[in-house]
Amino acid sequence: MGEFDLIARYFTRPVRHAALGVGDDCALLAPRPGMQLAISSDMLVEGRHFFADVDPEALGHKALAVNLSDLAACGAKPLAFTLALALPRVDESWLAGFSKGLLALADAHGCELVGGDTTQGPLNICITVFGEVPVGQALLRSGARAGDDIYVSGTLGDARLALEALLGHIHLPSELLTQARQRLERPTPRVALGLALRGIASSAMDVSDGLLGDFGHILKASGVGASIRTDETIKLIAASAYPSSARGQFDQKLLQQCTLAGGDDYELLFTAPPQHCAAVAAAAAQSQTAVTCIGQVQAEPGLRLVDAQGQPMEHRFASFDHFA
């Protein structure tokens, strides 16, 4: 099967939103009046971001999910995406599964594939996603202010827990591993919550490399500091609610590492003024997404961890860094 046959069979679909889609030298997108385009790219590399034996359908889902998560963090509605795909060989069974997972998530969010590239080489997936947001309503990293509450959506830490088990560093019961691996390989982009938070959140980003490291970007962009309550964050590891309680199996240090610096969570981390507390709750209910307040933004620079009694905690948790 040649390159263009591969594209036609697995990745070409009728155009729905774009003015021009797959099959020409460029795709054409026409944002509505009063809208801005939000654009983001993410790359997934075999051996760095996923295991060689990962289910291709799950990989297709995740490849797009991590990009949609960026749009969610901006408060942007998905429009379209491009796919650049390097393949070691043409494996029709793998391509069928990958495209199924990819396009199922695309359909769920009304986001159409409008172009890209394919080549032979080590397995590498690069997606660029396009969304739209009303002028002046994008959620940014630079808007946090002293006194704001800090929130995170969903759960944290289970993806890292699954990774530790798959690497052989810890043992997880099969049921627990299955559910934690689902969080690692099939993250849920919080697009609906991002849209609902426009005009409510003062800053936002998604948690991809770990809560502490990622929130540090908000603090730097906003010129503020913060305190995070570790007693609240550790409750967010979903594994603790499984029949075989993770909290009972593992020490606190491991669970704190997973929740505070685990990475691959793809939840929304955002701030909002205290007076918007009811609006945050309404946005969470509207998007059917749980949110938890985990701390407060402060004027004093730096990121501090405190325990249940508000006492400072020493920590050496390091979030993921591609080049560390």
Side-chain angles (χ1 to χ4, degrees):
M1 182 186 300
E3 175 186 359
F4 296 103
D5 292 330
L6 183 158
I7 294 169
R9 179 175 299 185
Y10 295 105
F11 300 112
T12 300
R13 312 173 91 195
V15 171
R16 291 172 295 171
H17 305 301
L20 184 65
V22 174
D24 229 293
D25 292 298
C26 291
L28 299 177
L29 300 177
R32 292 176 294 163
M35 293 288 186
Q36 292 177 315
L37 281 180
I39 304 167
S40 181
S41 292
D42 266 299
M43 183 184 300
L44 298 183
V45 179
E46 184 181 62
R48 187 62 171 171
H49 300 100
F50 59 90
F51 294 103
D53 64 349
V54 68
D55 173 27
E57 186 174 338
L59 183 58
H61 172 101
K62 184 170 183 176
L64 182 57
V66 302
N67 284 270
L68 292 178
S69 183
D70 285 331
L71 290 185
C74 189
K77 179 181 178 181
L79 291 178
F81 69 102
T82 62
L83 169 68
L85 183 63
L87 297 167
R89 63 190 178 281
V90 175
D91 181 334
E92 294 193 42
S93 176
W94 187 94
L95 282 163
F98 177 81
S99 61
K100 180 180 179 181
L102 177 82
L103 297 176
L105 185 63
D107 287 345
H109 289 278
C111 189
E112 63 182 328
L113 177 58
V114 295
D117 190 27
T118 57
T119 189
Q120 187 174 26
L123 185 55
N124 188 318
I125 305 155
C126 184
I127 285 178
T128 297
V129 71
F130 303 87
E132 65 176 10
V133 60
V135 173
Q137 292 190 32
L139 304 179
L140 307 175
R141 298 179 181 183
S142 56
R145 298 292 179 264
D148 285 355
D149 292 321
I150 304 166
Y151 295 89
V152 68
S153 67
T155 61
L156 297 175
D158 296 277
R160 176 61 178 269
L161 199 65
L163 180 61
E164 293 293 323
L166 294 171
L167 291 173
H169 297 163
I170 61 172
H171 170 73
L172 290 181
S174 58
E175 181 183 4
L176 183 52
L177 176 59
T178 296
Q179 295 187 64
R181 189 168 183 170
Q182 184 81 356
R183 292 284 292 141
L184 174 66
E185 296 178 350
R186 291 180 177 269
T188 302
R190 302 300 186 180
V191 174
L193 177 61
L195 295 176
L197 286 173
R198 292 196 305 219
I200 298 171
S202 54
S203 69
M205 68 177 299
D206 71 332
V207 181
S208 56
D209 295 331
L211 175 69
L212 297 185
D214 286 331
F215 194 56
H217 298 310
I218 286 181
L219 298 185
K220 182 177 181 180
S222 299
V224 292
S227 65
I228 301 272
R229 298 195 302 271
T230 59
D231 60 309
E232 292 297 331
T233 57
I234 201 169
K235 296 174 187 176
L236 293 174
I237 190 162
S240 64
Y242 297 158
S244 300
S245 173
R247 278 196 241 179
Q249 291 186 56
F250 308 114
D251 63 32
Q252 295 289 297
K253 184 177 180 180
L254 172 62
L255 296 185
Q256 292 285 21
Q257 173 69 41
C258 289
T259 55
L260 293 171
D264 266 337
D265 296 303
Y266 297 102
E267 295 292 349
L268 288 193
L269 177 60
F270 63 97
T271 62
Q275 60 268 31
H276 288 177
C277 179
V280 169
Q286 177 185 333
S287 61
Q288 299 182 327
T289 307
V291 301
T292 304
C293 182
I294 60 169
Q296 281 75 41
V297 178
Q298 298 169 337
E300 181 185 353
L303 179 56
R304 293 161 287 279
L305 300 184
V306 297
D307 61 19
Q309 287 71 47
Q311 296 302 307
M313 291 180 56
E314 293 289 333
H315 76 89
R316 295 182 179 177
F317 300 119
S319 291
F320 181 76
D321 185 328
H322 286 277
F323 297 100

